Amino acid sequence: KAGVTQTPRYLIKTRGQQVTLSCSPISGHRSVSWYQQTPGQGLQFLFEYFSETQRNKGNFPGRFSGRQFSNSRSEMNVSTLELGDSALYLCASSSRGGLSGELFFGEGSRLTVL
Amino acid sequence: DAKTTQPPSMDCAEGRAANLPCNHSTISGNEYVYWYRQIHSQGPQYIIHGLKNNETNEMASLIITEDRKSSTLILPHATLRDTAVYYCIVRVMDTGFQKLVFGTGTRLLVSP
C-alpha cells in the first residue's frame, strides 16, 4: 500500500511569509505527527493529531500550528517565518494514537527561509 | 527534562554484530524506549521498542538494563545497507502531553 506522502518536497520562502505543508497518511491510519529536523537541534517533535484533534504537542511557539481533516490528511502551518525555521519537516502516521507503536515517516518537506 | 545520550559515530565490519548504546538515565518507569534509523535523504524507519524486558524482532535486539538507565540496540549481522544514523528515542509525559524526545543519533558506518 502507498506510504506517507508529503508535499511539497522542496520550497523556498522569505522571512515574514507563511507556509503550509501537507501530509497524507497511510490509508487507515488516524494519527499524524509532525517533526522538525535541523543540523543544530536534530529531530524535534512538533505535535500529533488523532481523529482531527491535537492530542499531543512539543515545545514549539504558537507560530507552528496544524490541523487534520476527516480523511486523516494533515497540514502544518508556520507563520511569520524566521531564518531558523529552515529545516526538513517530517510527518509520520500510525494506526495508534499517543505516539505509541510504529510510526511510518514520509520523506519530508525541505523548507528554506531566505 | 528527559534526555537521551548517544555516541556520535561508530564503525562496524560487515557481518559482525553492531552494538549501539544509549543512555536515558532520567526516564520514568512507564516511559518507552524506541529506536529508529535514518538513511540519508529518507524519513526515519522504525526498528524496535521496549519498556523493561529485552525485545527481539527480525531486524534487531534491544537490551534494556534492569535499572532502565540505558539500553543497547544490537544488529546481529551488520550489512552495508545498515549504514545509517540510529536514533534512540524516549516517549515521555510532559505537562499532560506525550512527546518523543530524540537523541542526537549515532552514525553507524558498516565497512566491507
Side-chain angles (χ1 to χ4, degrees):
Chain A
K1 56 184 174 182
V4 176
T5 303
Q6 292 188 245
T7 58
R9 291 292 314 279
Y10 302 90
L11 66 166
I12 300 173
K13 294 285 187 178
T14 57
R15 278 181 299 174
Q17 287 187 312
Q18 72 166 10
V19 66
T20 299
L21 309 177
S22 178
C23 175
S24 293
I26 291 172
S27 177
H29 285 188
R30 292 161 63 191
S31 167
V32 174
S33 50
W34 288 88
Y35 305 83
Q36 181 195 65
Q37 185 171 29
T38 61
Q41 298 297 318
L43 272 161
Q44 297 184 87
F45 167 69
L46 281 155
F47 35 66
E48 181 208 16
Y49 283 83
F50 185 86
S51 295
E52 303 179 62
T53 303
Q54 187 180 87
R55 296 298 179 95
N56 294 294
K57 66 176 187 174
N59 301 327
F60 278 77
R63 298 187 299 109
F64 293 81
S65 63
R67 59 178 175 169
Q68 187 178 35
F69 302 95
S70 58
N71 62 358
S72 294
R73 188 178 70 86
S74 177
E75 289 182 347
M76 191 193 88
N77 183 275
V78 187
S79 63
T80 318
L81 284 166
E82 301 175 0
L83 295 179
D85 296 333
S86 294
L88 179 67
Y89 289 89
L90 294 157
C91 79
S93 77
S94 174
S95 59
R96 298 162 60 180
L99 303 172
S100 60
E102 181 176 355
L103 302 178
F104 295 83
F105 283 83
E107 294 192 337
S109 293
R110 185 166 296 280
L111 170 65
T112 300
V113 181
L114 302 177
Chain B
D1 203 16
K3 182 178 174 181
T4 65
T5 305
Q6 302 177 253
S9 64
M10 294 184 66
D11 294 327
C12 180
E14 189 178 20
R16 304 298 294 270
N19 297 280
L20 293 90
C22 178
N23 181 288
H24 36 75
S25 58
T26 59
I27 66 170
S28 65
N30 62 349
E31 293 173 340
Y32 280 78
V33 178
Y34 291 79
W35 284 83
Y36 280 74
R37 70 182 183 185
Q38 187 174 29
I39 297 170
H40 183 62
S41 79
Q42 297 181 18
Q45 175 193 22
Y46 169 82
I47 301 173
I48 199 167
H49 74 281
L51 180 63
K52 296 180 182 178
N53 301 319
N54 299 336
E55 302 287 345
T56 295
N57 62 20
E58 66 279 3
M59 287 184 68
S61 294
L62 174 60
I63 308 298
I64 302 175
T65 58
E66 193 169 339
D67 62 9
R68 302 190 72 243
K69 292 183 183 298
S70 65
S71 61
T72 300
L73 177 74
I74 300 172
L75 307 178
H77 305 287
T79 70
L80 299 179
R81 292 168 59 179
D82 292 323
T83 293
V85 178
Y86 288 77
Y87 291 99
C88 172
I89 305 159
V90 293
R91 183 168 66 104
V92 304
M93 181 68 77
D94 181 17
T95 60
F97 296 102
Q98 297 275 5
K99 69 177 189 179
L100 298 180
V101 178
F102 290 79
T104 51
T106 296
R107 186 173 300 274
L108 175 68
L109 175 63
V110 181
S111 303

